[in-house]
mmCIF file of all heavy atoms in Angstrom:
data_model
loop_
_atom_site.group_PDB
_atom_site.id
_atom_site.type_symbol
_atom_site.label_atom_id
_atom_site.label_comp_id
_atom_site.label_asym_id
_atom_site.label_seq_id
_atom_site.Cartn_x
_atom_site.Cartn_y
_atom_site.Cartn_z
ATOM 1 N N GLU V 52 8.920 -8.006 -43.996
ATOM 2 C CA GLU V 52 9.274 -6.942 -43.057
ATOM 3 C C GLU V 52 9.029 -5.563 -43.661
ATOM 4 O O GLU V 52 8.617 -4.634 -42.953
ATOM 5 C CB GLU V 52 10.735 -7.103 -42.633
ATOM 6 C CG GLU V 52 10.973 -8.333 -41.782
ATOM 7 C CD GLU V 52 12.395 -8.438 -41.275
ATOM 8 O OE1 GLU V 52 13.268 -7.712 -41.763
ATOM 9 O OE2 GLU V 52 12.608 -9.254 -40.356
ATOM 10 N N THR V 53 9.282 -5.413 -44.947
ATOM 11 C CA THR V 53 9.009 -4.130 -45.604
ATOM 12 C C THR V 53 7.527 -3.819 -45.563
ATOM 13 O O THR V 53 7.117 -2.679 -45.294
ATOM 14 C CB THR V 53 9.501 -4.163 -47.067
ATOM 15 O OG1 THR V 53 10.909 -4.405 -47.087
ATOM 16 C CG2 THR V 53 9.229 -2.827 -47.756
ATOM 17 N N ALA V 54 6.692 -4.823 -45.804
ATOM 18 C CA ALA V 54 5.245 -4.628 -45.740
ATOM 19 C C ALA V 54 4.819 -4.216 -44.334
ATOM 20 O O ALA V 54 3.942 -3.361 -44.157
ATOM 21 C CB ALA V 54 4.515 -5.906 -46.158
ATOM 22 N N GLY V 55 5.470 -4.806 -43.313
ATOM 23 C CA GLY V 55 5.152 -4.449 -41.932
ATOM 24 C C GLY V 55 5.502 -3.001 -41.623
ATOM 25 O O GLY V 55 4.747 -2.296 -40.945
ATOM 26 N N VAL V 56 6.666 -2.556 -42.098
ATOM 27 C CA VAL V 56 7.097 -1.168 -41.865
ATOM 28 C C VAL V 56 6.161 -0.203 -42.582
ATOM 29 O O VAL V 56 5.791 0.850 -42.046
ATOM 30 C CB VAL V 56 8.548 -0.971 -42.341
ATOM 31 C CG1 VAL V 56 8.941 0.503 -42.297
ATOM 32 C CG2 VAL V 56 9.497 -1.772 -41.464
ATOM 33 N N MET V 57 5.780 -0.546 -43.810
ATOM 34 C CA MET V 57 4.865 0.321 -44.565
ATOM 35 C C MET V 57 3.492 0.372 -43.895
ATOM 36 O O MET V 57 2.828 1.421 -43.881
ATOM 37 C CB MET V 57 4.755 -0.174 -46.002
ATOM 38 C CG MET V 57 6.060 -0.036 -46.783
ATOM 39 S SD MET V 57 5.992 -0.778 -48.439
ATOM 40 C CE MET V 57 4.913 0.393 -49.271
ATOM 41 N N ALA V 58 3.070 -0.749 -43.306
ATOM 42 C CA ALA V 58 1.789 -0.771 -42.598
ATOM 43 C C ALA V 58 1.846 0.120 -41.361
ATOM 44 O O ALA V 58 0.871 0.802 -41.022
ATOM 45 C CB ALA V 58 1.423 -2.202 -42.200
ATOM 46 N N GLU V 59 2.987 0.124 -40.678
ATOM 47 C CA GLU V 59 3.154 0.979 -39.509
ATOM 48 C C GLU V 59 3.097 2.448 -39.900
ATOM 49 O O GLU V 59 2.520 3.272 -39.181
ATOM 50 C CB GLU V 59 4.484 0.677 -38.817
ATOM 51 C CG GLU V 59 4.797 1.548 -37.607
ATOM 52 C CD GLU V 59 3.788 1.389 -36.482
ATOM 53 O OE1 GLU V 59 2.994 0.426 -36.500
ATOM 54 O OE2 GLU V 59 3.782 2.246 -35.580
ATOM 55 N N GLU V 60 3.664 2.783 -41.060
ATOM 56 C CA GLU V 60 3.579 4.160 -41.557
ATOM 57 C C GLU V 60 2.116 4.551 -41.774
ATOM 58 O O GLU V 60 1.688 5.652 -41.390
ATOM 59 C CB GLU V 60 4.357 4.297 -42.856
ATOM 60 C CG GLU V 60 4.268 5.689 -43.470
ATOM 61 C CD GLU V 60 4.802 5.743 -44.886
ATOM 62 O OE1 GLU V 60 4.922 4.683 -45.521
ATOM 63 O OE2 GLU V 60 5.094 6.847 -45.364
ATOM 64 N N THR V 61 1.346 3.655 -42.384
ATOM 65 C CA THR V 61 -0.067 3.926 -42.634
ATOM 66 C C THR V 61 -0.839 4.091 -41.326
ATOM 67 O O THR V 61 -1.697 4.977 -41.191
ATOM 68 C CB THR V 61 -0.687 2.783 -43.460
ATOM 69 O OG1 THR V 61 0.020 2.665 -44.696
ATOM 70 C CG2 THR V 61 -2.154 3.045 -43.745
ATOM 71 N N ARG V 62 -0.527 3.242 -40.349
ATOM 72 C CA ARG V 62 -1.221 3.310 -39.054
ATOM 73 C C ARG V 62 -0.948 4.639 -38.350
ATOM 74 O O ARG V 62 -1.878 5.289 -37.853
ATOM 75 C CB ARG V 62 -0.772 2.150 -38.161
ATOM 76 C CG ARG V 62 -1.552 2.043 -36.861
ATOM 77 C CD ARG V 62 -0.963 0.963 -35.963
ATOM 78 N NE ARG V 62 0.298 1.393 -35.396
ATOM 79 C CZ ARG V 62 0.399 2.139 -34.290
ATOM 80 N NH1 ARG V 62 -0.701 2.538 -33.653
ATOM 81 N NH2 ARG V 62 1.579 2.482 -33.823
ATOM 82 N N THR V 63 0.319 5.062 -38.295
ATOM 83 C CA THR V 63 0.639 6.317 -37.613
ATOM 84 C C THR V 63 0.053 7.514 -38.353
ATOM 85 O O THR V 63 -0.365 8.486 -37.731
ATOM 86 C CB THR V 63 2.164 6.490 -37.479
ATOM 87 O OG1 THR V 63 2.793 6.352 -38.762
ATOM 88 C CG2 THR V 63 2.744 5.452 -36.533
ATOM 89 N N LYS V 64 -0.018 7.446 -39.693
ATOM 90 C CA LYS V 64 -0.629 8.534 -40.450
ATOM 91 C C LYS V 64 -2.128 8.619 -40.116
ATOM 92 O O LYS V 64 -2.682 9.720 -39.994
ATOM 93 C CB LYS V 64 -0.446 8.275 -41.944
ATOM 94 C CG LYS V 64 -1.053 9.363 -42.855
ATOM 95 C CD LYS V 64 -0.420 10.722 -42.602
ATOM 96 C CE LYS V 64 -0.762 11.728 -43.685
ATOM 97 N NZ LYS V 64 -2.200 11.998 -43.789
ATOM 98 N N ARG V 65 -2.754 7.468 -39.948
ATOM 99 C CA ARG V 65 -4.176 7.452 -39.603
ATOM 100 C C ARG V 65 -4.406 8.073 -38.225
ATOM 101 O O ARG V 65 -5.379 8.803 -38.016
ATOM 102 C CB ARG V 65 -4.690 6.015 -39.642
ATOM 103 C CG ARG V 65 -6.195 5.894 -39.472
ATOM 104 C CD ARG V 65 -6.703 4.548 -39.941
ATOM 105 N NE ARG V 65 -5.988 3.440 -39.341
ATOM 106 C CZ ARG V 65 -5.210 2.587 -40.022
ATOM 107 N NH1 ARG V 65 -5.053 2.711 -41.321
ATOM 108 N NH2 ARG V 65 -4.596 1.602 -39.393
ATOM 109 N N LEU V 66 -3.476 7.806 -37.281
ATOM 110 C CA LEU V 66 -3.582 8.397 -35.954
ATOM 111 C C LEU V 66 -3.410 9.908 -35.995
ATOM 112 O O LEU V 66 -4.099 10.647 -35.287
ATOM 113 C CB LEU V 66 -2.533 7.783 -35.019
ATOM 114 C CG LEU V 66 -2.741 6.317 -34.637
ATOM 115 C CD1 LEU V 66 -1.571 5.811 -33.819
ATOM 116 C CD2 LEU V 66 -4.041 6.148 -33.859
ATOM 117 N N VAL V 67 -2.462 10.372 -36.825
ATOM 118 C CA VAL V 67 -2.247 11.819 -36.978
ATOM 119 C C VAL V 67 -3.505 12.485 -37.523
ATOM 120 O O VAL V 67 -3.930 13.544 -37.034
ATOM 121 C CB VAL V 67 -1.044 12.095 -37.906
ATOM 122 C CG1 VAL V 67 -0.982 13.573 -38.298
ATOM 123 C CG2 VAL V 67 0.261 11.700 -37.213
ATOM 124 N N ASP V 68 -4.114 11.900 -38.543
ATOM 125 C CA ASP V 68 -5.322 12.464 -39.138
ATOM 126 C C ASP V 68 -6.487 12.479 -38.146
ATOM 127 O O ASP V 68 -7.258 13.448 -38.084
ATOM 128 C CB ASP V 68 -5.717 11.670 -40.389
ATOM 129 C CG ASP V 68 -4.705 11.836 -41.515
ATOM 130 O OD1 ASP V 68 -3.927 12.810 -41.471
ATOM 131 O OD2 ASP V 68 -4.696 11.003 -42.438
ATOM 132 N N ALA V 69 -6.613 11.399 -37.364
ATOM 133 C CA ALA V 69 -7.686 11.326 -36.378
ATOM 134 C C ALA V 69 -7.489 12.390 -35.300
ATOM 135 O O ALA V 69 -8.447 13.018 -34.832
ATOM 136 C CB ALA V 69 -7.734 9.938 -35.747
ATOM 137 N N ASN V 70 -6.248 12.601 -34.892
ATOM 138 C CA ASN V 70 -5.930 13.620 -33.890
ATOM 139 C C ASN V 70 -6.311 15.014 -34.389
ATOM 140 O O ASN V 70 -6.890 15.821 -33.656
ATOM 141 C CB ASN V 70 -4.445 13.557 -33.539
ATOM 142 C CG ASN V 70 -4.031 14.625 -32.557
ATOM 143 O OD1 ASN V 70 -3.537 15.689 -32.957
ATOM 144 N ND2 ASN V 70 -4.200 14.364 -31.270
ATOM 145 N N LYS V 71 -5.988 15.299 -35.650
ATOM 146 C CA LYS V 71 -6.330 16.601 -36.226
ATOM 147 C C LYS V 71 -7.845 16.804 -36.246
ATOM 148 O O LYS V 71 -8.344 17.897 -35.967
ATOM 149 C CB LYS V 71 -5.769 16.712 -37.633
ATOM 150 C CG LYS V 71 -4.260 16.877 -37.689
ATOM 151 C CD LYS V 71 -3.782 16.991 -39.132
ATOM 152 C CE LYS V 71 -2.265 17.158 -39.188
ATOM 153 N NZ LYS V 71 -1.773 17.225 -40.584
ATOM 154 N N ALA V 72 -8.575 15.751 -36.566
ATOM 155 C CA ALA V 72 -10.032 15.839 -36.604
ATOM 156 C C ALA V 72 -10.594 16.120 -35.214
ATOM 157 O O ALA V 72 -11.543 16.909 -35.059
ATOM 158 C CB ALA V 72 -10.625 14.539 -37.153
ATOM 159 N N GLU V 73 -10.036 15.488 -34.185
ATOM 160 C CA GLU V 73 -10.472 15.725 -32.815
ATOM 161 C C GLU V 73 -10.207 17.165 -32.384
ATOM 162 O O GLU V 73 -11.028 17.795 -31.726
ATOM 163 C CB GLU V 73 -9.759 14.754 -31.873
ATOM 164 C CG GLU V 73 -10.293 13.329 -31.915
ATOM 165 C CD GLU V 73 -11.663 13.221 -31.277
ATOM 166 O OE1 GLU V 73 -11.741 13.246 -30.054
ATOM 167 O OE2 GLU V 73 -12.638 13.134 -32.041
ATOM 168 N N ILE V 74 -9.040 17.692 -32.759
ATOM 169 C CA ILE V 74 -8.695 19.079 -32.427
ATOM 170 C C ILE V 74 -9.709 20.035 -33.046
ATOM 171 O O ILE V 74 -10.198 20.963 -32.388
ATOM 172 C CB ILE V 74 -7.272 19.410 -32.913
ATOM 173 C CG1 ILE V 74 -6.236 18.662 -32.059
ATOM 174 C CG2 ILE V 74 -7.007 20.918 -32.854
ATOM 175 C CD1 ILE V 74 -4.827 18.750 -32.581
ATOM 176 N N GLU V 75 -10.033 19.809 -34.290
ATOM 177 C CA GLU V 75 -11.013 20.663 -34.966
ATOM 178 C C GLU V 75 -12.399 20.544 -34.306
ATOM 179 O O GLU V 75 -13.141 21.528 -34.203
ATOM 180 C CB GLU V 75 -11.093 20.282 -36.440
ATOM 181 C CG GLU V 75 -9.828 20.617 -37.220
ATOM 182 C CD GLU V 75 -9.848 20.056 -38.640
ATOM 183 O OE1 GLU V 75 -10.864 19.432 -39.018
ATOM 184 O OE2 GLU V 75 -8.849 20.242 -39.341
ATOM 185 N N LYS V 76 -12.736 19.346 -33.850
ATOM 186 C CA LYS V 76 -14.038 19.135 -33.206
ATOM 187 C C LYS V 76 -14.148 19.962 -31.928
ATOM 188 O O LYS V 76 -15.163 20.632 -31.704
ATOM 189 C CB LYS V 76 -14.222 17.648 -32.891
ATOM 190 C CG LYS V 76 -15.572 17.342 -32.230
ATOM 191 C CD LYS V 76 -15.700 15.874 -31.886
ATOM 192 C CE LYS V 76 -14.887 15.539 -30.639
ATOM 193 N NZ LYS V 76 -15.118 14.142 -30.192
ATOM 194 N N TYR V 77 -13.102 19.917 -31.071
ATOM 195 C CA TYR V 77 -13.177 20.645 -29.803
ATOM 196 C C TYR V 77 -13.069 22.154 -30.004
ATOM 197 O O TYR V 77 -13.592 22.927 -29.196
ATOM 198 C CB TYR V 77 -12.108 20.128 -28.841
ATOM 199 C CG TYR V 77 -12.509 18.817 -28.220
ATOM 200 C CD1 TYR V 77 -11.952 17.619 -28.653
ATOM 201 C CD2 TYR V 77 -13.490 18.767 -27.230
ATOM 202 C CE1 TYR V 77 -12.353 16.407 -28.103
ATOM 203 C CE2 TYR V 77 -13.889 17.563 -26.678
ATOM 204 C CZ TYR V 77 -13.317 16.390 -27.116
ATOM 205 O OH TYR V 77 -13.726 15.199 -26.574
ATOM 206 N N GLU V 78 -12.393 22.583 -31.052
ATOM 207 C CA GLU V 78 -12.391 24.003 -31.415
ATOM 208 C C GLU V 78 -13.823 24.446 -31.727
ATOM 209 O O GLU V 78 -14.290 25.508 -31.278
ATOM 210 C CB GLU V 78 -11.495 24.221 -32.635
ATOM 211 C CG GLU V 78 -11.590 25.608 -33.260
ATOM 212 C CD GLU V 78 -10.559 26.577 -32.714
ATOM 213 O OE1 GLU V 78 -9.691 26.133 -31.946
ATOM 214 O OE2 GLU V 78 -10.643 27.757 -33.042
ATOM 215 N N SER V 79 -14.540 23.628 -32.500
ATOM 216 C CA SER V 79 -15.919 23.944 -32.864
ATOM 217 C C SER V 79 -16.830 23.941 -31.643
ATOM 218 O O SER V 79 -17.697 24.810 -31.479
ATOM 219 C CB SER V 79 -16.424 22.942 -33.906
ATOM 220 O OG SER V 79 -17.784 23.172 -34.207
ATOM 221 N N LEU V 80 -16.623 22.970 -30.740
ATOM 222 C CA LEU V 80 -17.442 22.898 -29.533
ATOM 223 C C LEU V 80 -17.222 24.105 -28.628
ATOM 224 O O LEU V 80 -18.153 24.609 -27.996
ATOM 225 C CB LEU V 80 -17.144 21.603 -28.779
ATOM 226 C CG LEU V 80 -17.681 20.319 -29.419
ATOM 227 C CD1 LEU V 80 -17.141 19.093 -28.691
ATOM 228 C CD2 LEU V 80 -19.213 20.310 -29.400
ATOM 229 N N ALA V 81 -15.960 24.561 -28.554
ATOM 230 C CA ALA V 81 -15.668 25.741 -27.734
ATOM 231 C C ALA V 81 -16.393 26.963 -28.271
ATOM 232 O O ALA V 81 -16.926 27.785 -27.505
ATOM 233 C CB ALA V 81 -14.159 25.980 -27.702
ATOM 234 N N LYS V 82 -16.435 27.097 -29.581
ATOM 235 C CA LYS V 82 -17.158 28.222 -30.193
ATOM 236 C C LYS V 82 -18.650 28.148 -29.876
ATOM 237 O O LYS V 82 -19.283 29.165 -29.550
ATOM 238 C CB LYS V 82 -16.943 28.216 -31.704
ATOM 239 C CG LYS V 82 -15.531 28.601 -32.135
ATOM 240 C CD LYS V 82 -15.409 28.582 -33.656
ATOM 241 C CE LYS V 82 -14.018 29.004 -34.094
ATOM 242 N NZ LYS V 82 -13.873 28.982 -35.565
ATOM 243 N N LYS V 83 -19.211 26.943 -29.980
ATOM 244 C CA LYS V 83 -20.630 26.774 -29.678
ATOM 245 C C LYS V 83 -20.934 27.115 -28.221
ATOM 246 O O LYS V 83 -21.968 27.719 -27.910
ATOM 247 C CB LYS V 83 -21.062 25.340 -29.985
ATOM 248 C CG LYS V 83 -21.101 25.012 -31.464
ATOM 249 C CD LYS V 83 -21.528 23.558 -31.682
ATOM 250 C CE LYS V 83 -21.562 23.232 -33.177
ATOM 251 N NZ LYS V 83 -21.957 21.805 -33.414
ATOM 252 N N ALA V 84 -20.035 26.718 -27.306
ATOM 253 C CA ALA V 84 -20.226 27.002 -25.890
ATOM 254 C C ALA V 84 -20.211 28.508 -25.633
ATOM 255 O O ALA V 84 -20.996 29.031 -24.845
ATOM 256 C CB ALA V 84 -19.155 26.303 -25.065
ATOM 257 N N LEU V 85 -19.301 29.210 -26.290
ATOM 258 C CA LEU V 85 -19.222 30.655 -26.125
ATOM 259 C C LEU V 85 -20.486 31.334 -26.658
ATOM 260 O O LEU V 85 -21.007 32.278 -26.055
ATOM 261 C CB LEU V 85 -17.987 31.209 -26.834
ATOM 262 C CG LEU V 85 -16.646 30.976 -26.119
ATOM 263 C CD1 LEU V 85 -15.499 31.460 -26.982
ATOM 264 C CD2 LEU V 85 -16.623 31.661 -24.766
#
């Protein structure tokens, strides 16, 4: 169960990092559009 909880922590951290990358991508696209 501890391994499962630690795996869930890793999964949510990966989602947070992916979200940040997407935000930066659309910021860059908006600049290019302008």
Side-chain angles (χ1 to χ4, degrees):
E52 292 184 347
T53 300
V56 172
M57 294 174 71
E59 178 62 14
E60 178 192 18
T61 301
R62 187 186 73 84
T63 53
K64 180 61 167 62
R65 187 162 52 246
L66 291 175
V67 169
D68 293 341
N70 177 264
K71 288 180 180 178
E73 284 289 284
I74 290 171
E75 292 172 1
K76 181 182 77 173
Y77 282 103
E78 170 93 7
S79 176
L80 288 171
K82 289 181 178 180
K83 290 179 180 179
L85 284 175

